[in-house]
Amino acid sequence: EDQVTQSPEALRLQEGESSSLNCSYTVSGLRGLFWYRQDPGKGPEFLFTLYSAGEEKEKERLKATLTKKESFLHITAPKPEDSATYLCAVPQGGSEKLVFGKGTKLTVNP
Amino acid sequence: DGGITQSPKYLFRKEGQNVTLSCEQNLNHDAMYWYRQDPGQGLRLIYYSQIVNDFQKGDIAEGYSVSREKKESFPLTVTSAQKNPTAFYLCASRGLGSGAKNIQYFGAGTRLSVL
């Protein structure tokens, strides 16, 4: 069964304290891995998609990387406005469905 | 502005009542999706549609129904058969074809509560 596991469930950082979020997956025939940001009471906002091992994408303080078994979302010198839940998802093998992890809730304190 | 519009933002359902959640997109996307989000759980797929007048059940379709009469619209009805409807409902859409890159874009969500 295709699965996506995100860790940690919650992460508290001080402003400027860099860290990484993890997304491990098991899926047959990876057709992309997606990162979303979700603010409370809002819909997920697309951040990145990665398609092959070794690929990296960057946006402001965020950098996503991909290996054959997991992806990392690195947050460099975070600010309080980076506080959100970060979701990871992969397409289920051979179908239209996206399998989502439960998310990592990031809190950045000033 | 192009995007996905969900309405209403908040909805209350009485016992035995059917309620319909609206989802409209002006992105010219072919595929549309409905997800349910509960605290501590990942998004779960309710229904999806890749083309007008056609749709498929997702993982938790029981107690829900959909229609796709227009490309832009994919309403979700939560029927009285859904015994635990309280959740955050998200609509998404995706362009098809090699340029679309499989990316699903989401609306702002509808929070449904039971009175």
Short mmCIF file of all heavy atoms in Angstrom, two decimals, chain A residues 31-32 34 36 38 41-46 49 51 87 91-92 95-103, chain B residues 9 31 33 35 37 40-43 45 48 50 59 88 90 94 101-108 111:
data_model
loop_
_atom_site.label_atom_id
_atom_site.label_comp_id
_atom_site.label_asym_id
_atom_site.label_seq_id
_atom_site.Cartn_x
_atom_site.Cartn_y
_atom_site.Cartn_z
N ARG A 31 5.73 9.38 -9.49
CA ARG A 31 5.39 10.34 -10.54
C ARG A 31 5.33 11.75 -9.97
O ARG A 31 4.49 12.55 -10.34
CB ARG A 31 4.05 9.96 -11.17
CG ARG A 31 4.08 8.65 -11.94
CD ARG A 31 2.71 8.30 -12.53
NE ARG A 31 1.74 7.97 -11.50
CZ ARG A 31 0.57 8.58 -11.37
NH1 ARG A 31 0.24 9.58 -12.15
NH2 ARG A 31 -0.27 8.22 -10.41
N GLY A 32 6.25 12.02 -9.09
CA GLY A 32 6.30 13.36 -8.51
C GLY A 32 6.05 13.33 -7.02
O GLY A 32 5.36 12.45 -6.52
N PHE A 34 5.01 16.22 -3.96
CA PHE A 34 4.51 17.59 -3.86
C PHE A 34 4.57 18.08 -2.43
O PHE A 34 4.23 17.36 -1.50
CB PHE A 34 3.05 17.66 -4.35
CG PHE A 34 2.88 17.16 -5.74
CD1 PHE A 34 2.58 15.83 -5.98
CD2 PHE A 34 3.02 18.01 -6.81
CE1 PHE A 34 2.43 15.35 -7.27
CE2 PHE A 34 2.88 17.54 -8.11
CZ PHE A 34 2.58 16.22 -8.33
N TYR A 36 3.14 21.20 0.03
CA TYR A 36 2.15 22.27 0.17
C TYR A 36 2.32 22.92 1.53
O TYR A 36 2.75 22.28 2.49
CB TYR A 36 0.73 21.73 0.09
CG TYR A 36 0.28 21.24 -1.26
CD1 TYR A 36 0.54 19.93 -1.67
CD2 TYR A 36 -0.43 22.07 -2.12
CE1 TYR A 36 0.10 19.48 -2.90
CE2 TYR A 36 -0.87 21.62 -3.36
CZ TYR A 36 -0.60 20.33 -3.74
OH TYR A 36 -1.04 19.88 -4.97
N GLN A 38 -0.06 24.91 4.41
CA GLN A 38 -1.44 25.17 4.77
C GLN A 38 -1.50 26.02 6.03
O GLN A 38 -0.99 25.61 7.07
CB GLN A 38 -2.22 23.87 4.98
CG GLN A 38 -3.71 24.11 5.22
CD GLN A 38 -4.51 22.82 5.31
OE1 GLN A 38 -3.99 21.76 5.63
NE2 GLN A 38 -5.80 22.91 5.00
N GLY A 41 -7.31 27.11 8.76
CA GLY A 41 -8.58 27.50 8.18
C GLY A 41 -8.53 27.83 6.70
O GLY A 41 -9.50 28.36 6.15
N LYS A 42 -7.42 27.49 6.04
CA LYS A 42 -7.28 27.79 4.61
C LYS A 42 -6.91 26.53 3.84
O LYS A 42 -6.53 25.51 4.41
CB LYS A 42 -6.23 28.87 4.40
CG LYS A 42 -6.60 30.20 5.03
CD LYS A 42 -5.62 31.29 4.63
CE LYS A 42 -6.05 32.63 5.22
NZ LYS A 42 -5.11 33.72 4.84
N GLY A 43 -7.02 26.62 2.52
CA GLY A 43 -6.64 25.50 1.69
C GLY A 43 -5.14 25.42 1.50
O GLY A 43 -4.43 26.42 1.66
N PRO A 44 -4.63 24.23 1.18
CA PRO A 44 -3.19 24.09 0.93
C PRO A 44 -2.73 24.95 -0.25
O PRO A 44 -3.43 25.03 -1.26
CB PRO A 44 -3.03 22.60 0.63
CG PRO A 44 -4.22 21.95 1.27
CD PRO A 44 -5.32 22.94 1.12
N GLU A 45 -1.55 25.51 -0.08
CA GLU A 45 -0.94 26.33 -1.13
C GLU A 45 0.25 25.56 -1.70
O GLU A 45 1.14 25.14 -0.95
CB GLU A 45 -0.47 27.66 -0.55
CG GLU A 45 0.32 28.53 -1.50
CD GLU A 45 0.97 29.70 -0.78
OE1 GLU A 45 0.64 29.97 0.38
OE2 GLU A 45 1.85 30.34 -1.40
N PHE A 46 0.27 25.38 -3.00
CA PHE A 46 1.35 24.62 -3.64
C PHE A 46 2.70 25.32 -3.47
O PHE A 46 2.81 26.54 -3.65
CB PHE A 46 1.05 24.44 -5.13
CG PHE A 46 2.18 23.86 -5.91
CD1 PHE A 46 2.51 22.53 -5.80
CD2 PHE A 46 2.93 24.67 -6.75
CE1 PHE A 46 3.56 21.99 -6.51
CE2 PHE A 46 3.99 24.14 -7.47
CZ PHE A 46 4.31 22.80 -7.35
N THR A 49 7.18 20.87 -6.60
CA THR A 49 7.08 19.49 -7.02
C THR A 49 8.46 19.01 -7.45
O THR A 49 9.23 19.74 -8.06
CB THR A 49 6.06 19.32 -8.15
OG1 THR A 49 5.94 17.94 -8.47
CG2 THR A 49 6.44 20.10 -9.38
N TYR A 51 10.56 15.55 -9.15
CA TYR A 51 10.24 14.40 -9.97
C TYR A 51 11.29 13.29 -9.95
O TYR A 51 10.97 12.14 -10.26
CB TYR A 51 9.98 14.81 -11.42
CG TYR A 51 8.70 15.57 -11.59
CD1 TYR A 51 8.70 16.96 -11.66
CD2 TYR A 51 7.48 14.90 -11.65
CE1 TYR A 51 7.52 17.65 -11.80
CE2 TYR A 51 6.29 15.60 -11.79
CZ TYR A 51 6.32 16.97 -11.87
OH TYR A 51 5.15 17.66 -12.00
N LEU A 87 2.52 20.07 4.18
CA LEU A 87 2.00 18.79 3.73
C LEU A 87 2.83 18.26 2.58
O LEU A 87 3.27 19.01 1.72
CB LEU A 87 0.55 18.94 3.25
CG LEU A 87 -0.47 19.51 4.25
CD1 LEU A 87 -1.81 19.72 3.55
CD2 LEU A 87 -0.63 18.57 5.43
N PRO A 91 1.51 10.97 -5.92
CA PRO A 91 0.44 10.30 -6.65
C PRO A 91 0.49 8.80 -6.36
O PRO A 91 1.56 8.19 -6.38
CB PRO A 91 0.78 10.59 -8.12
CG PRO A 91 1.72 11.74 -8.08
CD PRO A 91 2.48 11.61 -6.81
N GLN A 92 -0.68 8.23 -6.11
CA GLN A 92 -0.74 6.79 -5.89
C GLN A 92 -0.41 6.09 -7.20
O GLN A 92 -0.86 6.52 -8.27
CB GLN A 92 -2.14 6.41 -5.42
CG GLN A 92 -2.28 4.99 -4.94
CD GLN A 92 -3.64 4.74 -4.33
OE1 GLN A 92 -4.65 5.15 -4.89
NE2 GLN A 92 -3.68 4.07 -3.21
N SER A 95 -2.74 5.74 -10.56
CA SER A 95 -4.08 6.31 -10.39
C SER A 95 -4.02 7.82 -10.34
O SER A 95 -2.95 8.42 -10.34
CB SER A 95 -4.75 5.76 -9.13
OG SER A 95 -4.35 6.50 -7.99
N GLU A 96 -5.18 8.43 -10.27
CA GLU A 96 -5.32 9.88 -10.17
C GLU A 96 -5.15 10.39 -8.76
O GLU A 96 -5.08 11.58 -8.51
CB GLU A 96 -6.73 10.28 -10.63
CG GLU A 96 -6.86 10.55 -12.10
CD GLU A 96 -6.21 11.86 -12.46
OE1 GLU A 96 -6.58 12.89 -11.88
OE2 GLU A 96 -5.31 11.84 -13.30
N LYS A 97 -5.12 9.48 -7.81
CA LYS A 97 -5.20 9.90 -6.42
C LYS A 97 -3.87 10.41 -5.90
O LYS A 97 -2.81 9.89 -6.24
CB LYS A 97 -5.62 8.72 -5.55
CG LYS A 97 -6.94 8.10 -5.93
CD LYS A 97 -7.21 6.87 -5.07
CE LYS A 97 -8.48 6.15 -5.50
NZ LYS A 97 -8.72 4.95 -4.68
N LEU A 98 -3.93 11.45 -5.06
CA LEU A 98 -2.77 11.91 -4.30
C LEU A 98 -2.87 11.32 -2.89
O LEU A 98 -3.92 11.41 -2.26
CB LEU A 98 -2.73 13.43 -4.19
CG LEU A 98 -2.11 14.23 -5.31
CD1 LEU A 98 -2.13 15.71 -4.96
CD2 LEU A 98 -0.70 13.77 -5.61
N VAL A 99 -1.78 10.74 -2.42
CA VAL A 99 -1.71 10.24 -1.05
C VAL A 99 -0.99 11.30 -0.22
O VAL A 99 0.17 11.64 -0.52
CB VAL A 99 -0.97 8.90 -0.98
CG1 VAL A 99 -0.89 8.41 0.47
CG2 VAL A 99 -1.64 7.86 -1.86
N PHE A 100 -1.66 11.80 0.79
CA PHE A 100 -1.09 12.87 1.61
C PHE A 100 -0.56 12.32 2.93
O PHE A 100 -1.13 11.40 3.52
CB PHE A 100 -2.17 13.91 1.95
CG PHE A 100 -2.43 14.89 0.85
CD1 PHE A 100 -3.30 14.59 -0.17
CD2 PHE A 100 -1.79 16.11 0.85
CE1 PHE A 100 -3.54 15.49 -1.19
CE2 PHE A 100 -2.03 17.03 -0.16
CZ PHE A 100 -2.90 16.72 -1.18
N GLY A 101 0.51 12.92 3.42
CA GLY A 101 0.93 12.70 4.79
C GLY A 101 0.07 13.53 5.72
O GLY A 101 -0.74 14.36 5.28
N LYS A 102 0.25 13.32 7.04
CA LYS A 102 -0.56 14.03 8.00
C LYS A 102 -0.05 15.44 8.27
O LYS A 102 -0.72 16.23 8.93
CB LYS A 102 -0.62 13.24 9.31
CG LYS A 102 -1.34 11.91 9.17
CD LYS A 102 -1.40 11.16 10.49
CE LYS A 102 -2.12 9.82 10.30
NZ LYS A 102 -2.21 9.07 11.57
N GLY A 103 1.13 15.75 7.77
CA GLY A 103 1.63 17.11 7.90
C GLY A 103 2.55 17.32 9.08
O GLY A 103 2.55 16.55 10.05
N LYS B 9 -18.16 29.47 3.14
CA LYS B 9 -16.96 29.25 3.95
C LYS B 9 -17.31 28.39 5.17
O LYS B 9 -16.53 27.54 5.59
CB LYS B 9 -16.37 30.59 4.40
CG LYS B 9 -15.02 30.47 5.08
CD LYS B 9 -14.45 31.85 5.34
CE LYS B 9 -13.15 31.78 6.13
NZ LYS B 9 -12.08 31.11 5.40
N ALA B 31 -9.58 18.32 -14.58
CA ALA B 31 -9.83 17.43 -13.45
C ALA B 31 -10.18 18.24 -12.20
O ALA B 31 -9.59 19.30 -11.94
CB ALA B 31 -8.60 16.57 -13.17
N TYR B 33 -11.43 17.66 -7.85
CA TYR B 33 -11.36 16.71 -6.74
C TYR B 33 -12.05 17.30 -5.51
O TYR B 33 -12.05 18.51 -5.29
CB TYR B 33 -9.89 16.45 -6.35
CG TYR B 33 -9.01 16.04 -7.50
CD1 TYR B 33 -8.49 16.99 -8.38
CD2 TYR B 33 -8.67 14.71 -7.71
CE1 TYR B 33 -7.67 16.62 -9.44
CE2 TYR B 33 -7.85 14.33 -8.76
CZ TYR B 33 -7.36 15.30 -9.62
OH TYR B 33 -6.55 14.93 -10.66
N TYR B 35 -11.80 16.66 -1.29
CA TYR B 35 -11.12 16.01 -0.17
C TYR B 35 -11.81 16.39 1.13
O TYR B 35 -12.40 17.45 1.26
CB TYR B 35 -9.66 16.49 -0.06
CG TYR B 35 -8.76 16.05 -1.17
CD1 TYR B 35 -8.60 16.81 -2.33
CD2 TYR B 35 -8.01 14.87 -1.05
CE1 TYR B 35 -7.76 16.41 -3.34
CE2 TYR B 35 -7.15 14.47 -2.06
CZ TYR B 35 -7.03 15.24 -3.19
OH TYR B 35 -6.18 14.84 -4.18
N GLN B 37 -10.79 16.82 5.26
CA GLN B 37 -9.67 16.95 6.17
C GLN B 37 -10.18 16.95 7.60
O GLN B 37 -11.02 17.77 7.96
CB GLN B 37 -8.87 18.24 5.88
CG GLN B 37 -7.58 18.32 6.69
CD GLN B 37 -6.74 19.52 6.29
OE1 GLN B 37 -7.26 20.59 5.96
NE2 GLN B 37 -5.42 19.36 6.30
N GLY B 40 -5.55 15.86 12.62
CA GLY B 40 -4.63 14.75 12.84
C GLY B 40 -4.62 13.71 11.74
O GLY B 40 -3.95 12.68 11.87
N GLN B 41 -5.35 13.97 10.65
CA GLN B 41 -5.38 13.01 9.55
C GLN B 41 -4.95 13.71 8.26
O GLN B 41 -5.13 14.90 8.10
CB GLN B 41 -6.78 12.44 9.37
CG GLN B 41 -7.27 11.61 10.53
CD GLN B 41 -8.42 10.71 10.15
OE1 GLN B 41 -8.42 10.14 9.07
NE2 GLN B 41 -9.38 10.55 11.03
N GLY B 42 -4.44 12.92 7.36
CA GLY B 42 -4.13 13.46 6.04
C GLY B 42 -5.41 13.72 5.26
O GLY B 42 -6.48 13.25 5.62
N LEU B 43 -5.29 14.45 4.18
CA LEU B 43 -6.44 14.68 3.31
C LEU B 43 -6.89 13.35 2.71
O LEU B 43 -6.06 12.55 2.26
CB LEU B 43 -6.06 15.63 2.17
CG LEU B 43 -6.17 17.13 2.44
CD1 LEU B 43 -5.13 17.57 3.44
CD2 LEU B 43 -6.03 17.90 1.14
N LEU B 45 -9.50 11.48 -0.12
CA LEU B 45 -10.21 11.77 -1.36
C LEU B 45 -11.62 11.23 -1.30
O LEU B 45 -11.84 10.05 -1.01
CB LEU B 45 -9.45 11.15 -2.54
CG LEU B 45 -10.00 11.40 -3.93
CD1 LEU B 45 -9.94 12.88 -4.28
CD2 LEU B 45 -9.23 10.57 -4.95
N TYR B 48 -13.58 12.31 -7.50
CA TYR B 48 -12.85 13.10 -8.47
C TYR B 48 -13.48 12.94 -9.85
O TYR B 48 -14.19 11.97 -10.11
CB TYR B 48 -11.36 12.76 -8.48
CG TYR B 48 -11.01 11.38 -8.94
CD1 TYR B 48 -10.60 11.13 -10.25
CD2 TYR B 48 -11.03 10.30 -8.06
CE1 TYR B 48 -10.25 9.85 -10.67
CE2 TYR B 48 -10.68 9.03 -8.47
CZ TYR B 48 -10.28 8.82 -9.77
OH TYR B 48 -9.93 7.55 -10.16
N GLN B 50 -12.48 13.68 -14.09
CA GLN B 50 -11.49 14.08 -15.08
C GLN B 50 -12.12 14.72 -16.30
O GLN B 50 -11.42 15.30 -17.14
CB GLN B 50 -10.66 12.87 -15.51
CG GLN B 50 -9.76 12.34 -14.40
CD GLN B 50 -8.92 11.18 -14.88
OE1 GLN B 50 -9.34 10.03 -14.83
NE2 GLN B 50 -7.71 11.47 -15.35
N ASP B 59 -11.62 7.33 -1.81
CA ASP B 59 -11.49 6.37 -0.72
C ASP B 59 -12.64 6.41 0.28
O ASP B 59 -12.87 5.44 0.99
CB ASP B 59 -10.17 6.65 0.02
CG ASP B 59 -8.97 6.46 -0.89
OD1 ASP B 59 -8.96 5.47 -1.65
OD2 ASP B 59 -8.07 7.31 -0.85
N PHE B 88 -13.47 19.67 7.48
CA PHE B 88 -13.07 20.73 6.56
C PHE B 88 -13.00 20.12 5.18
O PHE B 88 -12.29 19.14 4.96
CB PHE B 88 -11.71 21.29 7.01
CG PHE B 88 -11.29 22.55 6.34
CD1 PHE B 88 -12.15 23.64 6.24
CD2 PHE B 88 -10.00 22.69 5.84
CE1 PHE B 88 -11.75 24.82 5.65
CE2 PHE B 88 -9.59 23.88 5.24
CZ PHE B 88 -10.46 24.94 5.15
N LEU B 90 -12.25 20.33 1.14
CA LEU B 90 -11.38 21.03 0.20
C LEU B 90 -11.64 20.56 -1.22
O LEU B 90 -11.70 19.36 -1.48
CB LEU B 90 -9.92 20.80 0.56
CG LEU B 90 -9.46 21.50 1.84
CD1 LEU B 90 -8.20 20.84 2.38
CD2 LEU B 90 -9.21 22.98 1.57
N ARG B 94 -6.95 20.36 -11.39
CA ARG B 94 -5.66 20.09 -12.03
C ARG B 94 -5.83 20.12 -13.54
O ARG B 94 -6.79 19.56 -14.07
CB ARG B 94 -5.14 18.73 -11.60
CG ARG B 94 -3.84 18.29 -12.24
CD ARG B 94 -3.32 17.03 -11.57
NE ARG B 94 -4.00 15.83 -12.01
CZ ARG B 94 -3.64 15.08 -13.05
NH1 ARG B 94 -2.61 15.42 -13.78
NH2 ARG B 94 -4.30 13.98 -13.35
N LYS B 101 2.00 19.00 -15.20
CA LYS B 101 2.90 18.56 -14.14
C LYS B 101 2.18 17.96 -12.95
O LYS B 101 2.70 17.95 -11.84
CB LYS B 101 3.82 19.69 -13.69
CG LYS B 101 4.70 20.22 -14.82
CD LYS B 101 5.65 21.28 -14.32
CE LYS B 101 6.52 21.79 -15.45
NZ LYS B 101 7.45 22.83 -15.01
N ASN B 102 0.97 17.47 -13.12
CA ASN B 102 0.24 16.76 -12.05
C ASN B 102 -0.08 17.60 -10.83
O ASN B 102 -0.45 17.06 -9.80
CB ASN B 102 1.02 15.53 -11.59
CG ASN B 102 0.93 14.39 -12.57
OD1 ASN B 102 -0.02 14.30 -13.33
ND2 ASN B 102 1.91 13.52 -12.55
N ILE B 103 0.05 18.91 -10.90
CA ILE B 103 -0.12 19.75 -9.72
C ILE B 103 -1.60 20.01 -9.47
O ILE B 103 -2.32 20.48 -10.35
CB ILE B 103 0.62 21.08 -9.87
CG1 ILE B 103 2.11 20.83 -10.08
CG2 ILE B 103 0.38 21.96 -8.64
CD1 ILE B 103 2.86 22.07 -10.51
N GLN B 104 -2.05 19.71 -8.25
CA GLN B 104 -3.41 20.04 -7.85
C GLN B 104 -3.38 21.36 -7.09
O GLN B 104 -2.56 21.56 -6.20
CB GLN B 104 -3.99 18.94 -6.98
CG GLN B 104 -4.24 17.64 -7.73
CD GLN B 104 -4.97 16.59 -6.90
OE1 GLN B 104 -5.64 16.91 -5.92
NE2 GLN B 104 -4.86 15.33 -7.30
N TYR B 105 -4.32 22.24 -7.43
CA TYR B 105 -4.46 23.53 -6.76
C TYR B 105 -5.76 23.51 -5.97
O TYR B 105 -6.78 23.00 -6.45
CB TYR B 105 -4.47 24.66 -7.78
CG TYR B 105 -3.17 24.78 -8.53
CD1 TYR B 105 -2.98 24.12 -9.75
CD2 TYR B 105 -2.11 25.51 -8.01
CE1 TYR B 105 -1.78 24.21 -10.43
CE2 TYR B 105 -0.90 25.61 -8.69
CZ TYR B 105 -0.74 24.96 -9.90
OH TYR B 105 0.46 25.04 -10.56
N PHE B 106 -5.71 24.09 -4.79
CA PHE B 106 -6.83 23.99 -3.86
C PHE B 106 -7.59 25.29 -3.67
O PHE B 106 -7.02 26.39 -3.78
CB PHE B 106 -6.30 23.53 -2.48
CG PHE B 106 -5.92 22.08 -2.44
CD1 PHE B 106 -4.68 21.67 -2.87
CD2 PHE B 106 -6.81 21.14 -1.96
CE1 PHE B 106 -4.33 20.32 -2.84
CE2 PHE B 106 -6.48 19.79 -1.91
CZ PHE B 106 -5.24 19.39 -2.35
N GLY B 107 -8.87 25.14 -3.35
CA GLY B 107 -9.67 26.26 -2.90
C GLY B 107 -9.44 26.53 -1.43
O GLY B 107 -8.63 25.85 -0.77
N ALA B 108 -10.19 27.49 -0.90
CA ALA B 108 -10.00 27.93 0.49
C ALA B 108 -10.72 27.06 1.50
O ALA B 108 -10.50 27.19 2.71
CB ALA B 108 -10.44 29.37 0.65
N ARG B 111 -15.96 24.75 5.89
CA ARG B 111 -16.03 24.04 7.18
C ARG B 111 -17.48 23.68 7.46
O ARG B 111 -18.33 24.57 7.58
CB ARG B 111 -15.45 24.87 8.31
CG ARG B 111 -15.36 24.09 9.63
CD ARG B 111 -14.47 24.76 10.65
NE ARG B 111 -13.09 24.86 10.20
CZ ARG B 111 -12.21 23.86 10.23
NH1 ARG B 111 -12.56 22.67 10.65
NH2 ARG B 111 -10.97 24.07 9.83
#
